[in-house]
Structure formats: structure tokens, C-alpha cells
């Protein structure tokens, strides 16, 4: 495995090879983007259904299959609704078009974001692909044009929504769960477990659908400079790679999301999913690149705070991984872009 990884890395970073083989440059961009999509699926696909497994409403296998199906549906829907996100993550507006349209720039972003997400996945940390992509765009952009990077657009369109995601999700998650407990204690509402489980499954599907809707266009934007790809073809290709990543490599992140942040019951899981689904779908409609990770982790932690079962140490470790995501992706991207420039 290590030998194969070393060979792949050497192949990708062989700039002299790329300079005399422009077609291979585009092929490498395609492979690097598939690698990013696979890493994204491994880290992100289970996040929408983490509460199903954590509350023992379903088995791991049932949860990941439901996540795969609904995420794919969201990815296909993104073909018609997510043009703003495709534009934002192509690098246009942050950089001159000549650089934003260059294969070298897109390869550096894809490799850096993919490696950052994959490393976190292997360590069991749920991090944001959106944050990784943002860091990678900044890293390659700084190497390309230095401080001429458009930091105003970066702050308003990227950084602010990412910071707001958990800030909104934690109190909303806590509030929805508290509200449900209040209504139940005041009016002694009859609890039909089958109805709760059905709503729980539907809410998990909505979250996964929203993730596919929000994440797929960000990754697709990297390969649309390849003339053979239409938006529709790119969406389907990326969606398949994301599905494979989730099916094959999501176990460690699944344990963190489902069991380590907090223990939960069905009502708590449902409350967290409602908050996550509403926030992410609303953000997709406005073209804001919120992180499904930050929102879902924040809502689960918020529910845990109310039930007094939240693991603050694990949440602190996750926060640290979020802080490190952007600079890690930026450093890797800057190095890769410089190597590709020879």
C-alpha cells in the first residue's frame, strides 16, 4: 500500500512529465479530483446518518446504504440548482481567470484537499471538505499571485459561512431538543416509536440529500475545465466516487460521530438531524458554502449539552482538527502548485 501511494505521489508531482504532456495533465486532474471525491465520501457520507447508528435506530450497514442512496440523489439534484457553488469553488473572482482556469491550479487544489480529508479520515476526525478546498485554493493562490488574492471575497463568501455554521447549529440543536422535551412534559404527548423512527430515517435522508446537494458542485468545479465533461456528466462521476468512499472507508468517522461526541436516543438524534437538514438546505439555496460537518457535529454536540452527556474532550479535539484543516490544505496545495510550475 505504501509503495503504491509513493508511486501515485511521484506520478502526480512529476512536473517535467506534465509540461510535455498536456493531455496527461488533464487526465491527472481527473484522477486527482476522483481521489478528492473518494476522500470526501469516506469522511462525509456517514455524517447525515450518524444519529441513526448512534441511537441504535438502525445498523451500520443500513445507515450507510441509506446515506449512499440519498447523497447520490442530492448530487443529481445539484445539477439543476447549485450553479453558484460551482462558480465559487472554481477559484474565479479570487484569482485572475488565467490562473483559475489552469489545470495545474486545479490539480494542486484537488490533491491538497483530498490528502487533508483522507488523513483526517484515517484518524477518525470529521472535518470539512469545504474548509479543505478553501485552504487549498488559498495556498495555491498565494503561491501564484501572492497577496493580490481577493481576500474580501474570501472572507464574505467562504470564511464567514464556515464560522457561522457551528455557532448556529449548537444552540439550535439544543433548542429543538429542549423544546420537544418541554412539549412532552407539559401535554404528555403520546409517543409512537414507529412514527419517531420513520421521521428519524426521513430526517437522516434529508441531511444526506443536503450534503450531496451542497458538496458535489464544489468538487465538480475542479474538472469542468476538461472539455469532455458536461456539468451533468461531472456530477454523476463525482457522485459515484463519493459513494464508493463512503461504502469502503467511513467506519472510523462513523464511530466518532455516532458514539464519541455524545450518547443519544431517537428523539435527540431526530432533533439534531432537523437542525442540520434545515441549515444546509437553506445555505445551498443561497449559494453559501456551509460545512455539513460543522453543522452536524454542532447540532449533535448541542443536543448532548442539554442531556449532559456531551464529551467535551472529544469535541475539543474535533475543533482542533478544524483549526488545522485550512493551514494544512494551504501548505500542501502551495507545495504541489510550486512543483507543478517547475
Amino acid at each position: 500500500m505504501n509503495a503504491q501511494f509513493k508511486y501515485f505521489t511521484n506520478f502526480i508531482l512529476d512536473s517535467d512529465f506534465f509540461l510535455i504532456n498536456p493531455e496527461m495533465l488533464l487526465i491527472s486532474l481527473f484522477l486527482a479530483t476522483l481521489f478528492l471525491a473518494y476522500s470526501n465520501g469516506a469522511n462525509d457520507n456517514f455524517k447525515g446518518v450518524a444519529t441513526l447508528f448512534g441511537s441504535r435506530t438502525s445498523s451500520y450497514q443500513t445507515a450507510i446504504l441509506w446515506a449512499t442512496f440519498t447523497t447520490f440523489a442530492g448530487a443529481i439534484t445539484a445539477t439543476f440548482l447549485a450553479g453558484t457553488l460551482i462558480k465559487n469553488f472554481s477559484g474565479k473572482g479570487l484569482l485572475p481567470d488565467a490562473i483559475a482556469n489552469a489545470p495545474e491550479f486545479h490539480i494542486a487544489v484537488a490533491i491538497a484537499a483530498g490528502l487533508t480529508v483522507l488523513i483526517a479520515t484515517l484518524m477518525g476526525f470529521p472535518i470539512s471538505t469545504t474548509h479543505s478546498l478553501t485552504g487549498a485554493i488559498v495556498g495555491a493562490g498565494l503561491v501564484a499571485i501572492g497577496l493580490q488574492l481577493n481576500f474580501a471575497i474570501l472572507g464574505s463568501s467562504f470564511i464567514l459561512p464556515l464560522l457561522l455554521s457551528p455557532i448556529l447549529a449548537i444552540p439550535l440543536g439544543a433548542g429543538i431538543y429542549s423544546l420537544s422535551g418541554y412539549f412532552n412534559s407539559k401535554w404528555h404527548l403520546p409517543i409512537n416509536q414507529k412514527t419517531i423512527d420513520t421521521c428519524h430515517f426521513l430526517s437522516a435522508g434529508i441531511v444526506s440529500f443536503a450534503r450531496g446537494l451542497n458538496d458535489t458542485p464544489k468538487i465538480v468545479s475542479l474538472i469542468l475545465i476538461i472539455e469532455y465533461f458536461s456539468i451533468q456528466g461531472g456530477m454523476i462521476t463525482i457522485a459515484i466516487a463519493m459513494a464508493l468512499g463512503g461504502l469502503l472507508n467511513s467506519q472510523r468517522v462513523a464511530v466518532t460521530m455516532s458514539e464519541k461526541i455524545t450518547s443519544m436516543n431517537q428523539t435527540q438524534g431526530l432533533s439534531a438531524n432537523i437542525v442540520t437538514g434545515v441549515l444546509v438546505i437553506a445555505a445551498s439555496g443561497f449559494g453559501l458554502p456551509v460545512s455539513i460537518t460543522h453543522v452536524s457535529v454542532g447540532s449533535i454536540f448541542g443536543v448532548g449539552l442539554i442531556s449532559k452527556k456531551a464529551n467535551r474532550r472529544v469535541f475539543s479535539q474535533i475543533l482542533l482538527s478544524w483549526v488545522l484543516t485550512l493551514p494544512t490544505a494551504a501548505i500542501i496545495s502551495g507545495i504541489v502548485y510550486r512543483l507543478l510550475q517547475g
Side-chain angles (χ1 to χ4, degrees):
M1 181 69 180
N2 290 335
Q4 292 176 339
F5 180 77
K6 183 177 180 181
Y7 173 80
F8 174 79
T9 304
N10 289 337
F11 174 77
I12 290 294
L13 298 181
D14 187 350
S15 58
D16 291 336
F17 179 79
F18 286 141
L19 287 174
I20 60 175
N21 292 273
E23 291 184 1
M24 288 303 298
L25 189 65
L26 294 179
I27 292 173
S28 297
L29 170 58
F30 174 67
L31 293 175
T33 306
L34 287 184
F35 167 65
L36 169 59
Y38 181 93
S39 300
N40 169 269
N43 196 277
D44 281 20
N45 268 19
F46 202 81
K47 292 167 184 173
V49 296
T51 58
L52 288 177
F53 181 50
S55 63
R56 297 302 182 261
T57 302
S58 77
S59 65
Y60 172 85
Q61 290 78 8
T62 300
I64 192 61
L65 287 175
W66 180 233
T68 301
F69 173 77
T70 50
T71 299
F72 190 86
I76 299 304
T77 304
T79 303
F80 308 100
L81 299 178
T84 301
L85 284 175
I86 290 177
K87 180 181 178 181
N88 285 349
F89 280 84
S90 66
K92 294 181 179 179
L94 287 171
L95 301 156
D97 286 350
I99 297 173
N101 290 328
E104 296 89 343
F105 176 80
H106 288 248
I107 289 174
V109 170
I111 291 176
L115 279 176
T116 302
V117 173
L118 183 61
I119 291 169
T121 301
L122 295 176
M123 297 176 67
F125 287 120
I127 68 166
S128 167
T129 299
T130 304
H131 218 168
S132 300
L133 279 167
T134 302
I137 290 172
V138 171
L142 287 174
V143 171
I145 60 173
L147 296 179
Q148 298 178 44
L149 195 70
N150 193 330
F151 287 99
I153 292 180
L154 180 68
S156 61
S157 298
F158 292 86
I159 304 299
L160 184 59
L162 289 171
L163 291 176
L164 287 176
S165 299
I167 293 174
L168 290 174
I170 291 174
L172 282 175
I176 291 293
Y177 178 58
S178 298
L179 198 61
S180 66
Y182 171 77
F183 285 143
N184 185 52
S185 63
K186 186 171 182 178
W187 286 296
H188 302 288
L189 300 175
I191 298 176
N192 186 312
Q193 194 59 52
K194 186 175 181 180
T195 301
I196 291 178
D197 289 347
T198 300
C199 291
H200 198 172
F201 263 94
L202 289 175
S203 68
I206 290 172
V207 172
S208 295
F209 179 89
R211 197 193 76 75
L213 184 69
N214 197 264
D215 275 6
T216 311
K218 302 169 190 175
I219 301 175
V220 169
S221 66
L222 297 174
I223 59 172
L224 289 184
I225 63 172
I226 303 175
E227 62 181 12
Y228 305 106
F229 275 101
S230 63
I231 291 179
Q232 292 81 3
M235 290 286 188
I236 293 172
T237 303
I238 295 305
I240 292 172
M242 287 165 55
L244 288 174
L247 290 171
L248 298 178
N249 282 108
S250 64
Q251 292 87 347
R252 293 187 179 183
V253 172
V255 171
T256 300
M257 292 285 297
S258 302
E259 300 174 351
K260 292 185 177 181
I261 297 175
T262 184
S263 58
M264 67 187 88
N265 58 34
Q266 288 90 339
T267 304
Q268 292 165 341
L270 177 59
S271 300
N273 279 358
I274 290 173
V275 171
T276 303
V278 169
L279 284 179
V280 175
I281 289 177
S284 296
F286 287 103
L288 296 175
V290 302
S291 165
I292 185 70
T293 303
H294 294 185
V295 172
S296 59
V297 170
S299 61
I300 290 173
F301 183 70
V303 165
L305 287 176
I306 297 300
S307 64
K308 298 181 180 180
K309 295 180 180 179
N311 191 326
R312 298 173 186 270
R313 181 180 64 83
V314 170
F315 186 69
S316 297
Q317 292 173 344
I318 294 174
L319 283 179
L320 179 60
S321 71
W322 292 354
V323 171
L324 294 175
T325 296
L326 195 147
T328 300
I331 291 170
I332 296 174
S333 180
I335 292 172
V336 173
Y337 184 74
R338 175 58 68 196
L339 289 172
L340 289 173
Q341 289 298 302

